[in-house]
């Protein structure tokens, strides 16, 4: 099992603390099956004998929070993707989460260097909304642990004033934390927006990993993706196990079929 990056430095009063959903993503992305799949997409030795024909991959996490998932992919890029020349980039609407992710990546890099192990190339974190900062066809791997809890209202994106404050009130912190879990109707309002953007932002070899809970109606989500066109594929690649209640989680993988 690959080591999980430390988040001991993160203040969880305004940033989502890694929980079952975060660790399910780590288990998924480091599983034998997903490592094999990702290497088939991005490892130049498997793609072609000519390394120069296989550009490095851009790996993006939307909504980085503490940075535990992005740092994990960054630190273990060579094992997961079969190459260490992987570019990692994070996005979050919460400035404090962006800063925390940068620190988490730095600590993960230090741990890798202590063991003389390679890591990816971190491009930084952007304060932004979903994929708005990316060009068409730019992202190779997109990971999204969305706010998936059904709620009566969807919280608004933080104002520049709130994101710019050095000190925040308890009310401010509550608003920032709400962004990490409140998903509106069926818990899908933010995920629906991401799905609308996904076909345009993924590269031709792009792969998306999105976490869903039972109340998000995952089978309906998968049928929607299948309706994008014949080349699109979607599959549940991991679940949190069989248990009652809507908290049951699953990770779906979205990609384009390779031409035969």
């Amino acid at each position: 099992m690959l080591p999980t990056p430390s988040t001991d430095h993160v203040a969880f009063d305004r940033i989502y603390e890694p929980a079952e959903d975060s660790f399910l993503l780590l288990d998924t992305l480091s599983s034998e099956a997903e490592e094999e799949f990702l290497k088939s997409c991005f490892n130049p030795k498997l793609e072609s004998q000519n390394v120069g024909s296989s550009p490095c991959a851009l790996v993006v996490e939307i909504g980085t929070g503490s940075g535990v998932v992005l740092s994990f992919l960054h630190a273990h890029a060579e094992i997961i993707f079969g190459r260490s020349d992987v570019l990692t980039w994070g996005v979050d609407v919460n400035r404090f989460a962006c800063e925390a992710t940068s620190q988490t990546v730095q600590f993960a890099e230090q741990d890798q260097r202590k063991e003389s192990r390679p890591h990816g190339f971190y491009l930084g974190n952007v304060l932004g909304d979903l994929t708005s900062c990316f060009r068409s066809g730019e992202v190779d791997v997109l990971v999204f642990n969305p706010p998936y809890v059904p709620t009566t209202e969807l919280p608004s994106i933080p104002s520049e004033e709130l994101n710019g404050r050095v000190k925040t009130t308890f009310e401010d912190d509550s608003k920032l934390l709400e962004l990490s879990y409140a998903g509106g109707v069926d818990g899908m309002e933010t995920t629906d927006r991401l799905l609308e953007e996904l076909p345009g932002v993924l590269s031709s070899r792009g792969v998306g990993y999105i976490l869903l809970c039972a109340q998000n109606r995952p089978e309906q989500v998968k049928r929607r993706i299948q309706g994008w066109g014949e080349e699109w594929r979607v599959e549940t690649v991991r679940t949190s196990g069989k248990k009652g209640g809507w908290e049951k989680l699953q990770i779906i993988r979205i990609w384009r079929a390779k031409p035969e």
Side-chain angles (χ1 to χ4, degrees), residues 190-210:
T190 302
T191 304
D192 280 339
R193 289 177 52 221
L194 187 280
L195 289 172
E196 289 176 1
E197 300 172 6
L198 194 63
V201 76
L202 282 183
S203 69
S204 59
R205 59 178 182 169
V207 184
Y209 290 93
I210 299 178

Side-chain angles (χ1 to χ4, degrees), residues 59 93 98 117 155 185 199 208 259:
V59 178
V93 295
C98 291
R117 295 171 180 163
V185 178

Side-chain angles (χ1 to χ4, degrees), residues 27 29 33 69 75 102 106 144 154 162 196 220 227 254 256:
D27 290 343
L29 294 164
V69 174
S102 295
Q106 290 175 15
F144 189 36
L154 193 68
L162 174 55
E196 289 176 1
Q220 182 175 312
I254 305 167
R256 290 183 180 92

Side-chain angles (χ1 to χ4, degrees), residues 77-152:
E78 186 171 55
I79 294 173
I80 295 172
F81 300 99
R83 59 194 300 170
S84 59
D85 60 336
V86 168
L87 307 178
T88 55
W89 195 352
V91 179
D92 206 296
V93 295
N94 180 346
R95 175 178 66 85
F96 301 101
C98 291
E99 293 172 353
T101 297
S102 295
Q103 292 178 312
T104 305
V105 169
Q106 290 175 15
F107 286 125
E109 287 183 351
Q110 291 174 11
D111 290 341
Q112 289 296 99
R113 285 195 290 268
K114 288 177 184 177
E115 301 295 329
S116 299
R117 295 171 180 163
H119 54 71
F121 296 86
Y122 176 56
L123 300 179
N125 252 62
V126 175
L127 183 65
D129 181 25
L130 299 181
T131 68
S132 58
C133 58
F134 299 106
R135 294 176 297 183
S136 177
E138 187 173 27
V139 178
D140 293 307
V141 179
L142 185 146
V143 180
F144 189 36
N145 181 1
Y148 57 81
V149 177
T151 54
T152 55

Side-chain angles (χ1 to χ4, degrees), residues 47-63:
E47 284 188 299
S48 169
Q49 295 300 314
N50 182 5
V51 176
S53 69
S54 177
C56 59
L58 175 61
V59 178
V60 171
E61 184 184 10
I62 304 295

